[in-house]
Amino acid sequence: MRLPGGTLPAPFFLALCVWRLVPRREAAGTEEVVFGKVGGSVLLLCRNVSKEATEVVWFQGDPHSFPPLFSSRVAFPPDIRFSLVDNSALSITELRLQDEGNYTCREVLNKTDHEHRVQLLVGNPPQSTPKCWAETSSSGLMLQLFCSWPGGYPHPTLHWREEGQNLENSSWVISSTSSSDTHVETLNSSHLSHRKVFKCVGSHIVKQEEPACTVEIKIPSLESEPPKTCFVGDNVTLTCRVTESTPAARLTWLRGITQPEVEIQPGGRYLITQEGNVSRLTIRNCSQGTDGGCYICKAQNPVGLRELFVCLTVKQPENIVGVVGAVVVLSLLAILTVTGVVLYYNPLLCLRGAAFRNQDSGDVLVLVDSEDDDEGRGEEETMSSSTKHEALALVNGNSAQTAYLSRLTEGDDGEQHSKVPPQEARGEEM
């Protein structure tokens, strides 16, 4: 403890002088490794402490440094995170990364000193879980399995397994490399099969659990659009899409059966673009002699390959305007022909149609007058006779056709009366 004014107590100086004057007769020390977690606690034991030891002193780093970290006899200015347990073991709470290092405990005896060395490793495990994925090697013939588990200290240990066995012991592993938080296995494709599952297991010195991730490799699967048609001189685009592939597949275009081994290279009239898992082949200035036929979309990864035919038809351009004009003219001629035939065989159809169109035109009042056969009668007889033959017709809705036919019948009767032979007419006059 400190005295007012900041001076140290006299026993401290006395112990310091004694510690500096005592000859250090060091025995062979022992080694021990202890792991601690950031934010946790750890207890460093001073092994083989004799009951006759007069003092136990702890050092951090160099065991000959001064002042020591902690002493069982002298209360050096301590860090509240450090304390002695059973007057020998060193307890450290709220561990920090800077607490990592070598610690030495020394017991002071009358004749000799005994030292015990402890290496403290302070770790910080990753907060996430491992991430796994598969890629194709640069040569395109081998499979590379990646496993990454970042964010921990020290770096975690990662292992790839297949059906419970470590891949490191497998004969089909070409290479195995590790870089900081990532582990990569390169495998020969001859042992690969569709939907085979690989597992990566991670471990850390301060984490009891062993989290894992898996990768399922798959052969490519393809789909395409329906067959395309291109007019001579136009441009057309053929599309090929990968629906499933692990790792990602390499897409190429081949010129069908005629040249099955020749890969189409971009340039000239051919333009090849790829966005993600979709590849597009654009053909400029279509030619009927060279561009027509089927093309092959080829998808390949270390697991296998798939091919899909995409067919193209090239046609000569047609006079669209002339075709449309001819169709319109023929349609009009057909309509006029049908109309003429109908009117020829049924001339009253137009009149009936007019009558039907007036079904909802409301009520119509029709007055029909007829002349008497005897024109020589008086005015009174004429008025009474005409009154007899007056017809009042109320036409409403569907009765329009009936009224019209009645009028036609009455007209026909009038014509018959007007066609009486002259002899009968003279007889009546006589």
Side-chain angles (χ1 to χ4, degrees):
M1 58 180 296
R2 293 179 179 273
L3 297 176
T7 59
L8 296 174
F12 173 78
F13 291 103
L14 179 60
L16 179 59
C17 294
V18 171
W19 181 83
R20 297 292 293 178
L21 293 176
V22 172
R24 292 185 295 275
R25 298 176 297 275
E26 298 179 1
T30 59
E31 294 290 340
E32 183 181 2
V33 179
V34 177
F35 299 98
K37 182 179 179 180
V38 173
S41 301
V42 69
L43 184 65
L44 306 182
L45 299 179
C46 190
R47 303 288 183 180
N48 301 324
V49 177
S50 173
K51 295 181 179 179
E52 300 177 357
T54 58
E55 181 183 9
V56 175
V57 182
W58 280 93
F59 299 88
Q60 182 180 14
D62 184 7
H64 305 296
S65 62
F66 180 83
L69 180 65
F70 220 93
S71 173
S72 61
R73 294 183 59 182
V74 180
F76 294 99
D79 185 334
I80 61 175
R81 299 183 300 115
F82 295 86
S83 61
L84 285 180
V85 177
D86 295 335
N87 207 34
S88 61
L90 178 64
S91 173
I92 307 176
T93 60
E94 300 179 6
L95 281 173
R96 305 168 184 171
L97 291 177
Q98 55 267 32
D99 294 332
E100 183 177 89
N102 295 320
Y103 291 79
T104 303
C105 76
R106 175 182 296 164
E107 59 176 356
V108 180
L109 300 176
N110 293 331
K111 297 181 180 180
T112 182
D113 294 343
H114 176 76
E115 290 184 354
H116 176 69
R117 296 183 178 88
V118 180
Q119 183 182 10
L120 175 61
L121 299 177
V122 180
N124 187 23
Q127 301 301 316
S128 59
T129 57
K131 298 293 187 299
C132 301
W133 69 93
E135 293 183 4
T136 304
S137 64
S138 57
S139 63
L141 302 177
M142 294 175 288
L143 175 69
Q144 290 184 317
L145 299 176
F146 289 80
C147 183
S148 179
W149 196 20
Y153 177 82
H155 298 308
T157 302
L158 301 172
H159 297 281
W160 277 104
R161 297 177 182 175
E162 191 267 328
E163 295 181 354
Q165 301 295 326
N166 288 336
L167 285 178
E168 287 82 352
N169 302 326
S170 177
S171 60
W172 45 304
V173 174
I174 298 177
S175 64
S176 178
T177 59
S178 295
S179 175
S180 63
D181 301 322
T182 303
H183 183 66
V184 183
E185 295 281 354
T186 303
L187 308 181
N188 192 332
S189 59
S190 60
H191 293 78
L192 302 179
S193 60
H194 183 53
R195 294 195 177 279
K196 181 180 284 291
V197 178
F198 296 92
K199 183 178 182 180
C200 176
V201 180
S203 60
H204 197 270
I205 60 174
V206 294
K207 192 177 183 67
Q208 295 181 352
E209 300 84 2
E210 290 188 345
C213 58
T214 59
V215 170
E216 182 182 18
I217 59 175
K218 301 175 184 179
I219 195 171
S221 179
L222 296 174
E223 70 176 13
S224 177
E225 296 179 348
K228 291 293 189 72
T229 300
C230 178
F231 292 104
V232 174
D234 291 345
N235 300 335
V236 66
T237 299
L238 307 180
T239 303
C240 180
R241 180 180 292 102
V242 179
T243 58
E244 183 181 63
S245 178
T246 305
R250 179 177 178 266
L251 291 170
T252 56
W253 289 89
L254 307 177
R255 186 58 182 91
I257 303 176
T258 57
Q259 297 175 338
E261 301 299 330
V262 179
E263 180 179 332
I264 298 177
Q265 300 296 332
R269 296 190 304 113
Y270 297 105
L271 174 64
I272 299 178
T273 60
Q274 182 168 344
E275 296 179 1
N277 59 344
V278 179
S279 178
R280 293 180 175 87
L281 170 63
T282 300
I283 304 175
R284 302 187 181 97
N285 191 18
C286 287
S287 173
Q288 193 171 19
T290 58
D291 296 330
C294 292
Y295 295 77
I296 298 177
C297 174
K298 180 179 177 181
Q300 184 175 11
N301 67 6
V303 188
L305 66 89
R306 288 283 174 85
E307 294 180 344
L308 181 68
F309 284 88
V310 184
C311 295
L312 173 65
T313 302
V314 181
K315 296 181 177 181
Q316 289 288 345
E318 300 176 356
N319 188 358
I320 304 300
V321 177
V323 173
V324 173
V327 171
V328 173
V329 170
L330 292 176
S331 301
L332 292 176
L333 290 176
I335 294 173
L336 292 176
T337 303
V338 173
T339 304
V341 172
V342 171
L343 292 179
Y344 177 78
Y345 287 102
N346 195 353
L348 298 179
L349 183 62
C350 291
L351 297 177
R352 291 176 180 175
F356 290 142
R357 284 194 300 271
N358 293 329
Q359 288 180 2
D360 297 331
S361 60
D363 297 336
V364 179
L365 185 63
V366 179
L367 295 177
V368 180
D369 295 337
S370 62
E371 296 181 356
D372 194 274
D373 295 335
D374 190 1
E375 296 178 359
R377 295 181 181 179
E379 182 178 356
E380 294 179 356
E381 293 179 358
T382 302
M383 293 179 61
S384 65
S385 176
S386 63
T387 303
K388 282 183 181 180
H389 295 281
E390 284 181 355
L392 178 62
L394 181 61
V395 182
N396 186 12
N398 294 332
S399 61
Q401 183 180 3
T402 305
Y404 171 71
L405 296 177
S406 299
R407 290 166 59 185
L408 289 178
T409 304
E410 292 176 0
D412 294 340
D413 293 341
E415 291 179 0
Q416 292 178 3
H417 285 293
S418 63
K419 294 179 181 179
V420 177
Q423 293 84 355
E424 295 181 3
R426 286 195 299 270
E428 289 178 358
E429 289 179 359
M430 292 175 63

